[in-house]
Amino acid sequence: MEQTLVLVKPDGVKKNLIGDIIARFEHKGLQVAALKLVKVTEAQAKFHYAEHEGKPFFGELVDFITSAPLVCAVIRGENAIKAVRQLNGATNPIEAVPGSIRGDFALSIGENIVHGSDSPEAAEREINNFFAPEEIY
Ligand code: DAT
Ligand code: MG
């Protein structure tokens, strides 16, 4: 069993897509192990996206993710990390295939609706940045 961190980013929340997005993970057979709505702090955002520090889009990324509440979730299941990223679709929504979350609901790379951890190490780090152990069931 794997665990991964999912974010329904502020654009997904504003577009009233929380339910649709979480439903896709549930329909796939993955389980929701933790779920909450939060306004991310700048420090939390910078830690979450630390691998992108120094890139030209880093400032915009931090501004965007802290601009309004988002939904964070721990999603659990067999191959959860890869399964979530497959359901999310390619980073750039214009490359994401129809049927994927980004392929269906997003148009621009700066506002691509959803996040999924990309490795077990990243998942552990990212989950700890958003959840206390007792919040995960
Ligand atoms: P992913 O979210 O698919 O793991 P990533 O880790 O490469 O993609 O990038 C993190 C986020 O940063 C991504 O969801 C959107 C934003 N981003 C990535 N590349 C970008 C670019 N070239 N211009 C603007 N935003 C970008
Ligand atoms: Mg990433």
Side-chain angles (χ1 to χ4, degrees):
M1 283 291 172
E2 267 180 359
Q3 292 193 150
T4 186
L5 181 81
V6 164
L7 302 178
V8 180
K9 299 185 191 180
D11 53 333
V13 174
K14 282 184 189 158
K15 289 175 169 173
N16 295 338
L17 291 171
I18 298 169
D20 289 87
I21 291 169
I22 300 297
R24 294 201 178 196
F25 303 127
E26 290 195 295
H27 291 170
K28 183 73 176 173
L30 298 164
Q31 277 197 309
V32 177
L35 184 68
K36 64 184 176 185
L37 189 67
V38 294
K39 185 111 186 301
V40 175
T41 66
E42 193 182 323
Q44 208 174 10
K46 286 182 170 166
F47 184 82
H48 178 74
Y49 281 128
E51 66 171 303
H52 299 297
E53 201 160 356
K55 294 183 186 170
F57 58 86
F58 184 70
E60 274 178 25
L61 191 54
V62 170
D63 287 349
F64 168 58
I65 214 80
T66 56
S67 64
L70 55 69
V71 167
C72 51
V74 177
I75 299 293
R76 182 185 294 140
E78 197 182 320
N79 296 312
I81 293 169
K82 187 166 185 193
V84 162
R85 287 181 67 87
Q86 285 285 116
L87 291 164
N88 287 356
T91 303
N92 189 345
I94 216 69
E95 310 291 339
V97 294
S100 67
I101 293 166
R102 287 162 170 168
D104 286 350
F105 297 131
L107 197 55
S108 100
I109 193 166
E111 298 199 356
N112 64 3
I113 300 272
V114 73
H115 168 84
S117 310
D118 67 5
S119 68
E121 298 72 31
E124 192 183 350
R125 219 178 118 267
E126 292 173 4
I127 288 169
N128 288 334
N129 189 32
F130 282 93
F131 290 98
E134 64 269 22
E135 292 180 298
I136 304 167
Y137 294 95

Coordinates of all heavy atoms in Angstrom, one line a residue, residues 9 49 51-52 57 61 85 90-91 102 109-110 112 114-116 118, ligand 1:
K9 N -6.1 22.3 -6.0 CA -5.5 23.7 -5.9 C -6.6 24.7 -5.9 O -7.8 24.4 -6.2 CB -4.5 23.9 -7.0 CG -3.3 22.9 -7.0 CD -2.3 23.3 -8.1 CE -1.3 22.2 -8.4 NZ -0.3 22.6 -9.4
Y49 N 7.0 23.1 -2.6 CA 7.6 23.3 -3.9 C 9.1 23.5 -3.9 O 9.6 24.1 -4.9 CB 6.9 24.4 -4.7 CG 5.5 24.0 -5.3 CD1 4.4 24.7 -5.0 CD2 5.4 22.8 -6.1 CE1 3.1 24.3 -5.5 CE2 4.2 22.4 -6.6 CZ 3.0 23.2 -6.3 OH 1.8 22.8 -6.8
E51 N 11.7 21.9 -4.6 CA 12.5 21.4 -5.7 C 12.4 22.4 -6.9 O 13.3 22.3 -7.8 CB 12.0 20.0 -6.2 CG 10.5 20.1 -6.8 CD 10.1 18.8 -7.4 OE1 10.7 18.3 -8.4 OE2 9.0 18.2 -7.0
H52 N 11.5 23.3 -6.9 CA 11.4 24.3 -8.0 C 11.9 25.6 -7.6 O 11.8 26.6 -8.4 CB 9.9 24.4 -8.4 CG 9.3 23.1 -8.9 ND1 9.8 22.5 -10.0 CD2 8.3 22.4 -8.4 CE1 9.1 21.4 -10.2 NE2 8.2 21.3 -9.3
F57 N 9.2 30.4 -12.7 CA 7.8 30.4 -12.3 C 7.6 30.2 -10.8 O 6.4 30.1 -10.3 CB 7.0 29.3 -13.1 CG 7.5 27.9 -12.9 CD1 7.1 27.1 -11.8 CD2 8.5 27.4 -13.8 CE1 7.6 25.8 -11.7 CE2 8.9 26.1 -13.7 CZ 8.5 25.3 -12.6
L61 N 4.1 30.5 -8.6 CA 3.6 29.2 -8.1 C 3.2 29.3 -6.6 O 2.1 28.9 -6.2 CB 4.7 28.1 -8.3 CG 4.3 26.7 -8.0 CD1 3.1 26.2 -8.9 CD2 5.6 25.8 -8.4
R85 N -1.1 10.2 -10.4 CA -0.5 11.0 -11.4 C -1.1 10.7 -12.8 O -1.2 11.6 -13.6 CB 1.0 11.0 -11.4 CG 1.6 11.7 -10.2 CD 3.1 11.7 -10.1 NE 3.8 12.4 -11.1 CZ 4.0 13.7 -11.1 NH1 3.7 14.5 -10.1 NH2 4.7 14.3 -12.1
A90 N -0.9 15.0 -17.7 CA 0.3 15.7 -17.9 C 0.3 17.1 -17.2 O -0.8 17.7 -17.1 CB 0.6 15.9 -19.3
T91 N 1.5 17.6 -16.7 CA 1.6 18.9 -16.0 C 0.9 20.0 -16.8 O 0.2 20.8 -16.2 CB 3.1 19.2 -15.7 OG1 3.6 18.1 -15.0 CG2 3.2 20.5 -15.0
R102 N -6.6 17.0 -15.5 CA -6.1 18.2 -16.2 C -6.6 18.3 -17.6 O -6.9 19.4 -18.1 CB -4.6 18.3 -16.1 CG -4.1 18.6 -14.7 CD -2.6 18.2 -14.5 NE -2.0 18.7 -13.3 CZ -0.8 18.3 -12.9 NH1 -0.2 17.4 -13.5 NH2 -0.3 18.8 -11.7
I109 N -0.9 25.9 -17.7 CA 0.1 25.2 -16.8 C 0.1 25.9 -15.4 O 0.3 25.2 -14.4 CB 1.5 25.1 -17.5 CG1 2.4 24.1 -16.7 CG2 2.2 26.4 -17.6 CD1 3.6 23.6 -17.4
G110 N -0.1 27.2 -15.4 CA 0.0 27.9 -14.1 C -1.2 27.6 -13.2 O -1.1 27.8 -12.0
N112 N -3.3 24.4 -13.0 CA -3.6 23.0 -13.5 C -4.3 22.1 -12.5 O -4.2 20.9 -12.5 CB -2.3 22.4 -14.0 CG -1.3 22.2 -13.0 OD1 -1.5 22.4 -11.8 ND2 -0.1 21.7 -13.4
V114 N -4.7 20.4 -9.9 CA -4.5 19.3 -9.0 C -3.0 19.0 -8.9 O -2.2 19.3 -9.8 CB -5.3 18.0 -9.5 CG1 -4.6 17.4 -10.7 CG2 -5.5 17.0 -8.4
H115 N -2.6 18.5 -7.7 CA -1.2 18.0 -7.4 C -1.2 16.6 -6.9 O -2.1 16.2 -6.2 CB -0.6 18.9 -6.3 CG 0.7 18.4 -5.8 ND1 1.9 18.6 -6.4 CD2 1.0 17.5 -4.7 CE1 2.9 17.9 -5.8 NE2 2.3 17.3 -4.7
G116 N -0.2 15.8 -7.4 CA 0.0 14.5 -6.8 C 1.5 14.3 -6.6 O 2.3 14.7 -7.5
D118 N 5.3 12.8 -6.5 CA 5.9 12.1 -7.6 C 6.8 10.9 -7.2 O 7.4 10.2 -8.1 CB 6.7 13.0 -8.6 CG 7.9 13.7 -7.9 OD1 8.2 13.3 -6.8 OD2 8.5 14.5 -8.6
Ligands
DAT1 P1 3.5 18.3 -11.5 O1 2.6 19.2 -10.8 O2 2.9 17.6 -12.7 O3 4.3 17.3 -10.6 P2 6.0 19.9 -11.6 O4 6.4 19.3 -10.3 O5 7.0 19.8 -12.7 O6 4.6 19.3 -12.2 O7 5.6 21.4 -11.4 C1 4.9 21.8 -10.2 C2 3.9 22.9 -10.7 O8 4.6 24.0 -11.1 C3 3.0 22.4 -11.8 O9 1.9 21.7 -11.4 C4 2.6 23.8 -12.4 C5 3.9 24.6 -12.2 N1 4.7 24.7 -13.3 C6 5.6 23.7 -13.8 N2 6.2 24.0 -14.9 C7 5.8 25.3 -15.2 C8 6.1 26.3 -16.2 N3 7.0 26.0 -17.1 N4 5.5 27.5 -16.1 C9 4.6 27.7 -15.2 N5 4.3 26.9 -14.2 C10 4.9 25.7 -14.2

